Amino acid sequence: MRFTFLGTSAGTPTRRRNVTGLALSCDESRDWYLVDCGEATQHQLLASPYSLAKLRAIFITHVHGDHCYGLPGLIASANMSGRTAPLTICAPDGIEQFIRAAFLYTDISELRFPLEFVRSDATEFHFEDAQVAVTATALSHRVPCFAYRFEERPPRHLLEEKLDTRAVPRGPLWNQLQRGEDVTLDDGRVVPASEMTADAWPPRSIIVGGDNDRPELLEDAMRRSQVLVHEATFSEDVLAKVGPKYMHSTAAMVAKSAARSELPNLLLTHFSQRYRLGDGDHVEHSIEDLRREAQQHYTGTLFMAKDLETYQILRDGKVVPLTG
Amino acid sequence: MRFTFLGTSAGTPTRRRNVTGLALSCDESRDWYLVDCGEATQHQLLASPYSLAKLRAIFITHVHGDHCYGLPGLIASANMSGRTAPLTICAPDGIEQFIRAAFLYTDISELRFPLEFVRSDATEFHFEDAQVAVTATALSHRVPCFAYRFEERPPRHLLEEKLDTRAVPRGPLWNQLQRGEDVTLDDGRVVPASEMTADAWPPRSIIVGGDNDRPELLEDAMRRSQVLVHEATFSEDVLAKVGPKYMHSTAAMVAKSAARSELPNLLLTHFSQRYRLGDGDHVEHSIEDLRREAQQHYTGTLFMAKDLETYQILRDGKVVPLTG
């Protein structure tokens, strides 16, 4: 699995960082998923390998503009580029209305592809396709906000010993089982695919959080995942000054929760625009300050997200940056 | 007067060109005006000298997304940056509804500054402040669409001979007249400022058009203006292939109208994304092709717009690019 940060700035863009968006794909597949879609997400995609034609689904964490104002333009561009495949949008209440209103008032009466809306604030929310299974966890923010946990669905390999024990003849029936279809033998016995196959490798999973001032809400999910991408809008000293009203996390808060959950890989993002990429005397607030704050509480693998940086989750669950 | 192209691509952004937006200001003033606001206009502004705090008014040509999807984000960012000055938005029907719906569904219940909407599709539309007077001309497009003509309001200088003839005493009364206020003399005579002062230089004017397949609609306005910024989405050969349904102009169509109107300065923009910045064998469609097409019909000063390029209209009406 790999993922690319399309924006790492909280609230407003800066000259070098866009507002929130993250692209996620499964290994070699060109199909991909988008989590959040701040303004100019489609612009960032032009500088990435992800194609609008191959976008399978969009997941929006919450209705704040820096997480969703890129939706009308991205969908309109997909439409103009001739996309016909359906597009699923999983989002809390408000996002479907926002998109429909945008199209109503801007002369888009019909798209060339169906938009399928799924309410991610519904208790039974669950998204699944051939590649991933996605669930949501409610967070704590000024509006309903969610984290999405993506678990990959690895290819299944055949358990040959079991097939021999059950005397399933090699050939088309094995292929059928590998595709996940149960088979019926000549003697009438039904052989379920789930028992005759196993994941080719342990499924990897990643949580991508929205805005949240209680990272501990994700500890259960973290214990079952290799990776967390979470906001760290402020450092502790800045939070002490601005106060809790914006309902964001500090680097320390997230680091402590990740440490308690024994999470192996933590990626911090959504930095207030006051934090600069550089370090040194001329920079009052630096993203390096946030890194140092997190490192005081967390000894796992830690990355500070940068726009257009891509990371790979290896099959053993390690996370490595991909260069170039 | 000076103006900066914030985007020059039609419909969708490309890697090197954003969708439509143009910033306009009067000489030394830091106050400025925005014409159209495609997605990521606020991002382009971060790379320009224009500040959201000094934006006086926005003029939207029509409701298509590549001309207005940047509005919610730009206004939200102005709000987050602490702006309190009122902001006027002149636009046809639909834009106010789009903005209000965007804010309704994305948790913006109140801004820190008043938004004042003016319907530019009203027959009596007229905008005026201390710096500019703006009128609109209806164009021909798939939705109601307008060109905006900005005429500067130069400082007034005193006509000393006339003041002496009318025996207006030097001092405070002269200052009052220069500020445009009529004065009443001790003997009861009223002296109107309009008769005692004149423009310090002939007012410059620029037309910024929206999407339009009938540039001849602007010929009257062109005869009274120094500069036209107009779309040239296609070349003649491409229009012949795609057909007239998109209702856009070719470079030749605009050039012919400008020539007929004896317009001194023409700037073409809003190029279909198929046109590339480069030239040469490896580029099938180049913006240089559009330039050559226009030059066949127009011998005035011609520029092909580039993102973030700034032009100055000199006091004599000449247009020159500003470098750096």
Side-chain angles (χ1 to χ4, degrees):
Chain A
M1 292 174 104
R2 57 181 63 182
F3 53 97
T4 303
F5 290 95
L6 302 172
T8 62
S9 181
T12 57
T14 75
R15 283 190 68 161
R16 297 171 69 182
R17 299 194 280 122
N18 197 29
V19 286
T20 301
L22 182 141
L24 175 73
S25 64
C26 288
D27 290 331
E28 305 310 314
S29 172
R30 291 186 58 227
D31 290 347
W32 63 285
Y33 309 88
L34 175 64
V35 185
D36 279 336
C37 185
E39 183 179 354
T41 292
Q42 65 164 324
H43 299 63
Q44 293 288 78
L45 290 171
L46 293 171
S48 84
Y50 302 94
S51 141
L52 285 184
K54 293 288 182 182
L55 175 57
R56 294 277 72 89
I58 301 175
F59 300 82
I60 301 293
T61 61
H62 65 300
V63 298
H64 284 159
D66 57 324
H67 296 254
C68 70
Y69 280 172
L71 284 168
L74 182 139
I75 297 166
S77 289
N79 193 46
M80 281 186 267
S81 72
R83 180 190 175 111
T84 54
L87 178 62
T88 300
I89 300 180
C90 304
D93 190 29
I95 293 296
E96 176 174 1
Q97 297 95 313
F98 164 57
I99 294 171
R100 294 204 187 278
F103 290 168
L104 172 67
Y105 293 120
T106 64
D107 191 38
I108 299 182
S109 57
E110 203 173 4
L111 295 173
R112 292 176 201 176
F113 57 89
L115 281 186
E116 290 165 359
F117 287 94
V118 179
R119 281 280 292 272
S120 61
D121 50 351
T123 46
E124 73 280 12
F125 169 73
H126 182 76
F127 172 93
E128 192 167 312
D129 65 10
Q131 292 197 114
V132 292
V134 185
T135 52
T137 301
L139 303 175
S140 165
H141 194 49
R142 309 195 301 276
V143 292
C145 186
F146 297 85
Y148 295 102
R149 180 178 181 275
F150 293 77
E151 182 168 297
E152 74 172 326
R153 304 183 65 196
R156 303 286 286 181
H157 70 193
L158 293 168
L159 300 168
E160 301 203 5
E161 271 188 30
K162 285 197 176 178
L163 288 159
D164 288 340
T165 310
R166 297 259 197 127
V168 182
R170 280 176 194 266
L173 292 183
W174 284 36
N175 295 339
Q176 232 176 298
L177 287 165
Q178 190 161 27
R179 286 197 302 271
E181 300 162 16
D182 299 343
V183 302
T184 308
L185 302 183
D186 287 344
D187 58 12
R189 280 181 297 140
V190 173
V191 181
S194 61
E195 292 176 20
M196 297 298 110
T197 60
D199 285 334
W201 58 81
R204 291 162 285 185
S205 58
I206 172 174
I207 307 163
V208 183
D211 293 3
N212 179 30
D213 69 354
R214 291 182 59 203
E216 66 271 23
L217 293 171
L218 287 168
E219 289 182 16
D220 272 356
M222 278 194 256
R223 287 194 191 91
R224 293 177 289 115
S225 305
Q226 280 95 38
V227 188
L228 171 67
V229 173
H230 198 283
E231 66 128 311
T233 308
F234 301 126
S235 46
E236 290 282 316
D237 58 331
V238 169
L239 180 66
K241 272 180 219 159
V242 303
K245 66 180 172 186
Y246 298 112
M247 299 186 73
H248 285 300
S249 287
T250 65
M253 286 160 62
V254 186
K256 285 177 192 170
S257 253
R260 268 196 300 272
S261 317
E262 299 180 357
L263 176 89
N265 303 285
L266 174 63
L267 293 100
L268 297 179
T269 184
H270 194 273
F271 312 117
S272 156
Q273 59 165 339
R274 60 168 63 72
Y275 297 99
R276 301 301 160 108
L277 289 166
D279 203 353
D281 290 345
H282 64 291
V283 177
E284 194 192 354
H285 297 288
S286 148
I287 291 171
E288 290 307 304
D289 299 338
L290 296 169
R291 184 199 300 272
R292 285 185 284 266
E293 181 174 301
Q295 280 172 334
Q296 287 175 20
H297 306 282
Y298 179 76
T299 55
T301 303
L302 172 73
F303 294 103
M304 311 307 281
K306 280 188 188 161
D307 281 42
L308 297 176
E309 259 187 4
T310 298
Y311 292 85
Q312 184 151 23
I313 313 174
L314 303 175
R315 296 230 171 117
D316 63 5
K318 278 207 185 77
V319 172
V320 293
L322 283 183
T323 49
Chain B
M1 290 175 107
R2 56 182 62 182
F3 54 96
T4 303
F5 290 96
L6 302 172
T8 62
S9 181
T12 57
T14 74
R15 283 191 69 161
R16 296 171 69 181
R17 299 195 280 122
N18 196 30
V19 286
T20 301
L22 181 141
L24 175 72
S25 64
C26 289
D27 290 331
E28 305 310 314
S29 172
R30 292 186 59 227
D31 289 348
W32 63 287
Y33 309 88
L34 175 64
V35 186
D36 280 337
C37 185
E39 183 178 353
T41 292
Q42 65 163 325
H43 299 64
Q44 293 288 78
L45 290 171
L46 292 172
S48 85
Y50 302 95
S51 140
L52 285 184
K54 294 287 183 182
L55 174 57
R56 295 277 71 90
I58 302 175
F59 300 82
I60 300 294
T61 61
H62 65 299
V63 299
H64 283 160
D66 57 325
H67 295 253
C68 71
Y69 281 171
L71 285 168
L74 181 138
I75 297 167
S77 288
N79 193 47
M80 279 186 268
S81 71
R83 179 190 175 110
T84 54
L87 178 62
T88 301
I89 300 180
C90 304
D93 190 29
I95 294 296
E96 177 175 358
Q97 297 94 314
F98 164 58
I99 294 171
R100 293 204 188 280
F103 289 167
L104 172 67
Y105 294 120
T106 64
D107 191 36
I108 298 182
S109 56
E110 205 173 2
L111 296 173
R112 292 175 200 176
F113 56 89
L115 281 186
E116 290 165 1
F117 287 94
V118 178
R119 281 280 292 272
S120 62
D121 50 352
T123 46
E124 74 280 12
F125 170 72
H126 182 76
F127 172 92
E128 192 167 312
D129 65 10
Q131 294 196 113
V132 293
V134 185
T135 53
T137 302
L139 304 174
S140 166
H141 195 50
R142 311 196 300 276
V143 291
C145 186
F146 297 85
Y148 294 102
R149 180 178 180 274
F150 292 77
E151 182 168 297
E152 73 172 328
R153 305 183 66 197
R156 303 285 284 181
H157 70 191
L158 293 168
L159 300 169
E160 301 202 5
E161 272 188 31
K162 285 197 177 178
L163 288 159
D164 288 340
T165 309
R166 298 260 195 126
V168 181
R170 280 178 195 263
L173 292 182
W174 283 36
N175 295 340
Q176 234 176 296
L177 286 164
Q178 190 162 28
R179 286 198 304 270
E181 300 162 17
D182 300 342
V183 301
T184 308
L185 301 184
D186 286 345
D187 58 11
R189 281 183 295 139
V190 173
V191 181
S194 60
E195 292 176 19
M196 297 298 110
T197 60
D199 285 335
W201 58 81
R204 292 162 284 186
S205 57
I206 173 174
I207 307 163
V208 183
D211 293 4
N212 180 31
D213 68 356
R214 291 183 58 204
E216 65 271 24
L217 293 171
L218 288 169
E219 289 183 16
D220 272 356
M222 277 194 260
R223 286 192 192 92
R224 294 177 290 114
S225 305
Q226 280 94 37
V227 189
L228 172 67
V229 173
H230 198 281
E231 65 126 312
T233 309
F234 301 126
S235 46
E236 290 282 315
D237 59 331
V238 169
L239 180 66
K241 270 180 221 160
V242 303
K245 67 181 171 184
Y246 298 112
M247 300 186 72
H248 285 299
S249 288
T250 65
M253 287 161 60
V254 186
K256 285 178 193 171
S257 255
R260 269 196 300 271
S261 318
E262 299 180 356
L263 177 88
N265 303 285
L266 175 62
L267 293 101
L268 298 178
T269 184
H270 195 271
F271 312 118
S272 155
Q273 59 164 342
R274 59 167 64 69
Y275 297 99
R276 301 302 160 110
L277 289 167
D279 202 354
D281 290 345
H282 64 293
V283 176
E284 194 191 354
H285 297 287
S286 147
I287 290 171
E288 291 307 305
D289 299 338
L290 296 170
R291 184 199 300 274
R292 284 185 284 267
E293 182 175 300
Q295 280 171 334
Q296 287 175 20
H297 307 281
Y298 179 75
T299 55
T301 303
L302 174 71
F303 294 103
M304 312 306 280
K306 280 187 187 161
D307 281 42
L308 297 177
E309 258 187 5
T310 299
Y311 293 85
Q312 184 151 23
I313 313 174
L314 303 176
R315 294 230 172 118
D316 64 4
K318 278 207 184 79
V319 172
V320 293
L322 284 183
T323 48

